[in-house]
Amino acid sequence: MVGFRYEFRLSGSGGQGLILAGKILAEAAAIYDDKNATQSQSYGPEARGGSSRSEVIISDKEIDYPKAVNIDLLLCFTQEACDKYCKDIKENGILLVDSNYVTNIPKGKFKVYCLPITEIAEKEAGKTLVANIVALGIIVELTRIISKEAVASAILSRVPKGTEELNLKAFNIGYDRAKTLK
Amino acid sequence: MQRINKKDIKLMTGNEACAEAAIVAGMRFFAGYPITPSSEIAEILSCRLPREGGVFIQMEDELGSMATIIGASLAGMKSMTATSGPGFSLMQENIGYASMTEIPCVIVDVQRGGPSTGLPTLPSQADVMQSRWGTHGDHPIIVVAPSTVRETFDWTIKAFNLAERFRVPVIVLLDEIIGHINEKIIFPKKEEIVIIERERTKENPKTYLPYQCVDTDIPLFADFGAGYRYNVTGLCHDETGFPTNDPEKIDALYRRLNRKIERYTDEIIEFKTVSLDDAEICIVAYGSSARSAYRAIRRAREMGIKAGIFQIFTIWPFPYEELTKISQHVKNFIVPEMNLGQIAHEVSCATGCDVIKVNRVDGGLITPDEIFERIKYVSV
């Protein structure tokens, strides 16, 4: 059967905007790119502080099982998340880490991309707050599963009024930076 | 493919879809008490209902919530509450009252692990039997169990239709997975949505009998406070609504109450079958476990194993006859559920087969692999 299923897990700690990033990714695919998408998150006491996990599944078919078990792309904003989840990446999958927080890179049969995402957000976009959106830009270029335009539209519909320009700038910075990685 | 307006596509959770669907169905009265993982339904409706000219009340507890929605419905409004296990337990007494007094209402139970406070943030499907038999006595009830966000939208509307049509409480059984997952939903067009209203009496208020045994077995409704004065009681009553100890009248009431569901099961029961025609193995699934089951049978088919699925949308009344029919050509039944085998027992009754159970009670969703392993085991 033809068809694809792509699994993302965005992990780090509460407050890093990973849930929002997951929703934007899923909305971009579902609403602007005519694909199917689900987004779920760790839901529990740990979501109030502590670790945070957001999973996105994108497919051109109906999405049945909604959890990520065979991850195509894992984003890690903390060392703890990286240590915990790297075993779930599938062969030839992608591990993307923020090198500002993750220094000990695990070994495995996956591609590793290290970028100082938070630093890029602060120095190039002007605010550490948009590190999640910088990461989205990187993810879009690295995976090429969702179109750049779709994600830009989804960002515009989700971010608070008055921050559109800042977020789009952050997104483009991440996108362009990822091009240099290949 | 038909062109779809982008405005009709959204990414939303099951809880959001449930709240939106209730408004589409015409629900304008919600009383509830917040509880994880159902709280978003109350939260959303507290914003949405006042704008729709409706009423939202946060009650002191779940006993009050259930009593209040019964009162609102008796006065003619479509009403609803939403809760989870512990709150659902507290509602049982008044659910019985709604069954006995034949007052339509919808109760959403977003299941979490139990008993007692159990697992507040994790999914479960262990309220299946409680939804059927949680309140005492032989009572009519309808329970529906969607498995996706779109199904949650559709079945919330259908829940109101069934409640209105048969004058019974209808329970929408969700679980934490469906309640909280963000999923793509393409809304149905307005003209595709069927909305049913309870049949109201045209009888003169002086001669109106609120619990008259009519041909349909479903008495005609009169909005309380609209000029019809009648008695409403949880006690066994006659056609006038007043208590009775006459054995003939008692018997007539109990039999009619249950018959009004039994005789319409063809109209009520809904299920979906996929690749069952030539199947040697049938998975009977409902709710979020059905999602894993679909993945498992696809893998099985890819390996040449003849497996199919029977997905139940209306758990109660249970589709005994339909499963009996299937058991004439399928002998292996697998039932995955996030409890210790509540529906497996019913499947066993219907099919006369030893049912293979796939159960998880650790707060995790059953994986496709866990079901697939059993399929492989059966197929050799």
Side-chain angles (χ1 to χ4, degrees):
Chain A
M1 208 186 298
V2 213
F4 76 92
R5 176 185 167 106
Y6 205 90
E7 302 186 351
F8 300 84
R9 184 180 290 164
L10 317 179
S11 61
S13 62
Q16 289 176 320
L18 298 168
I19 309 277
L20 176 65
K23 281 185 184 162
I24 290 173
L25 209 52
E27 252 172 18
I31 300 173
Y32 303 100
D33 249 358
D34 277 342
K35 295 185 173 70
N36 283 311
T38 61
Q39 184 272 334
S40 56
Q41 59 223 39
S42 53
Y43 186 81
E46 76 275 10
R48 318 274 183 274
S51 66
S52 166
R53 190 177 82 187
S54 174
E55 292 183 347
V56 177
I57 316 277
I58 293 172
S59 177
D60 54 355
K61 297 173 303 207
E62 293 252 321
I63 296 166
D64 38 42
Y65 184 65
K67 301 277 177 188
V69 277
N70 216 359
I71 296 172
D72 292 276
L73 182 136
L74 174 68
L75 166 70
C76 298
F77 265 105
T78 61
Q79 185 69 51
E80 187 196 352
C82 188
D83 297 340
K84 196 168 159 193
Y85 300 133
C86 64
K87 62 174 187 348
D88 299 333
I89 306 173
K90 74 179 195 192
E91 217 175 305
N92 293 322
I94 296 171
L95 171 64
L96 171 63
V97 301
D98 183 338
S99 54
N100 295 125
Y101 298 109
V102 182
T103 46
N104 189 8
I105 308 294
K107 287 202 167 51
K109 289 179 179 168
F110 41 77
K111 287 168 263 179
V112 181
Y113 296 97
C114 297
L115 275 176
I117 301 173
T118 306
E119 199 182 303
I120 294 170
E122 188 183 5
K123 293 193 174 148
E124 296 179 35
K127 265 196 161 67
T128 52
L129 199 68
V130 290
N132 59 340
I133 305 295
V134 173
L136 270 185
I138 302 169
I139 289 170
V140 169
E141 166 59 15
L142 284 182
T143 58
R144 302 208 173 165
I145 290 298
I146 322 159
S147 71
K148 192 185 172 194
E149 295 70 32
V151 180
S153 304
I155 288 172
L156 289 179
S157 76
R158 269 279 174 185
V159 298
K161 276 217 161 63
T163 67
E164 293 92 341
E165 211 175 306
L166 169 69
N167 279 291
L168 275 188
K169 186 178 166 195
F171 177 63
N172 284 318
I173 289 167
Y175 187 83
D176 293 338
R177 193 65 181 260
K179 279 186 184 163
T180 65
L181 292 171
K182 288 199 167 173
Chain B
M1 213 179 90
Q2 196 182 348
R3 274 198 69 79
I4 299 155
N5 191 330
K6 288 243 185 286
K7 274 198 303 199
D8 294 329
I9 308 174
K10 282 229 155 54
L11 190 78
M12 62 162 59
T13 63
N15 282 347
E16 283 176 89
C18 176
E20 289 303 324
I23 289 173
V24 171
M27 186 278 292
R28 290 294 180 272
F29 191 99
F30 182 97
Y33 188 84
I35 181 170
T36 300
S38 78
S39 300
E40 294 84 3
I41 298 175
E43 187 187 349
I44 294 162
L45 289 171
S46 70
C47 297
R48 293 280 279 113
L49 271 178
R51 284 184 219 155
E52 299 290 336
V55 179
F56 173 92
I57 306 179
Q58 179 167 326
M59 293 301 292
E60 73 275 20
D61 60 24
E62 288 86 350
L63 282 83
S65 305
M66 194 58 219
T68 308
I69 68 162
I70 290 172
S73 179
L74 182 60
M77 285 179 103
K78 288 188 185 175
S79 65
M80 170 172 122
T81 188
T83 190
S84 188
F88 194 45
S89 290
L90 294 177
M91 288 177 183
Q92 293 305 325
E93 181 186 353
N94 278 330
I95 291 174
Y97 188 84
S99 269
M100 185 60 148
T101 56
E102 300 179 71
I103 298 173
C105 52
V106 172
I107 301 109
V108 182
D109 174 19
V110 188
Q111 298 168 93
R112 68 191 220 185
S116 192
T117 25
L119 292 166
T121 60
L122 298 174
S124 156
Q125 293 180 304
D127 300 351
V128 167
M129 279 297 166
Q130 188 193 22
S131 70
R132 178 64 192 91
W133 295 115
T135 199
H136 61 280
D138 285 319
H139 60 278
I141 206 148
I142 297 174
V143 182
V144 304
S147 74
T148 66
V149 170
R150 171 63 199 261
E151 282 172 14
T152 301
F153 185 87
D154 294 345
W155 278 99
T156 300
I157 294 174
K158 284 187 191 179
F160 279 98
N161 289 347
L162 290 166
E164 292 287 310
R165 166 96 173 82
F166 298 107
R167 293 188 59 176
V168 284
V170 177
I171 289 152
V172 181
L173 269 188
L174 300 179
D175 58 60
E176 190 277 329
I177 302 275
I178 307 160
H180 284 154
I181 194 170
N182 268 295
E183 185 164 42
K184 180 180 184 170
I185 173 171
I186 302 172
F187 291 110
K189 289 201 174 63
K190 247 197 181 135
E191 56 271 23
E192 289 168 11
I193 298 172
V194 178
I195 307 280
I196 297 173
E197 306 287 338
R198 66 193 73 169
E199 203 176 331
R200 290 177 162 87
T201 184
K202 290 183 185 76
E203 182 80 32
N204 185 321
K206 282 183 183 143
T207 49
Y208 172 65
L209 285 173
Y211 294 101
Q212 192 174 17
C213 293
V214 287
D215 290 346
T216 59
D217 285 327
I218 308 157
L220 298 176
F221 195 88
D223 294 356
F224 218 68
Y228 289 84
R229 291 183 58 181
Y230 59 99
N231 196 52
V232 181
T233 175
L235 286 167
C236 193
H237 45 271
D238 61 18
E239 292 184 309
T240 65
F242 282 98
T244 180
N245 267 332
D246 178 339
E248 246 179 65
K249 289 176 177 170
I250 295 170
D251 185 80
L253 175 69
Y254 283 124
R255 291 189 190 278
R256 180 182 63 73
L257 281 179
N258 290 283
R259 194 169 60 232
K260 78 175 175 180
I261 299 300
E262 282 157 17
R263 68 181 271 194
Y264 296 108
T265 50
D266 285 351
E267 195 185 317
I268 300 167
I269 288 175
E270 278 192 51
F271 56 89
K272 178 170 132 189
T273 61
V274 172
S275 58
L276 255 191
D277 290 346
D278 64 338
E280 287 159 4
I281 300 165
C282 173
I283 318 237
V284 182
Y286 59 95
S288 59
S289 304
R291 303 178 72 118
S292 308
Y294 278 106
R295 188 103 180 268
I297 60 158
R298 253 217 324 276
R299 269 189 69 189
R301 284 280 166 178
E302 279 162 17
M303 290 185 63
I305 303 170
K306 289 178 177 170
I309 186 167
F310 185 97
Q311 184 191 348
I312 308 172
F313 292 121
T314 48
I315 304 190
W316 306 110
F318 191 78
Y320 293 105
E321 278 177 34
E322 292 76 6
L323 280 164
T324 305
K325 261 182 230 156
I326 288 163
S327 69
Q328 284 160 6
H329 61 95
V330 181
K331 294 293 166 220
N332 297 299
F333 288 87
I334 300 175
V335 183
E337 45 189 341
M338 287 186 285
N339 58 48
L340 290 174
Q342 298 190 14
I343 283 298
H345 178 75
E346 301 304 308
V347 176
S348 189
C349 285
T351 62
C353 299
D354 286 333
V355 170
I356 294 164
K357 301 193 281 184
V358 182
N359 307 122
R360 246 183 110 158
V361 287
D362 63 350
L365 175 59
I366 294 170
T367 65
D369 275 354
E370 284 165 329
I371 301 170
F372 180 68
E373 284 309 313
R374 303 309 287 173
I375 295 176
K376 257 193 347 198
Y377 172 79
V378 175
S379 71
V380 290

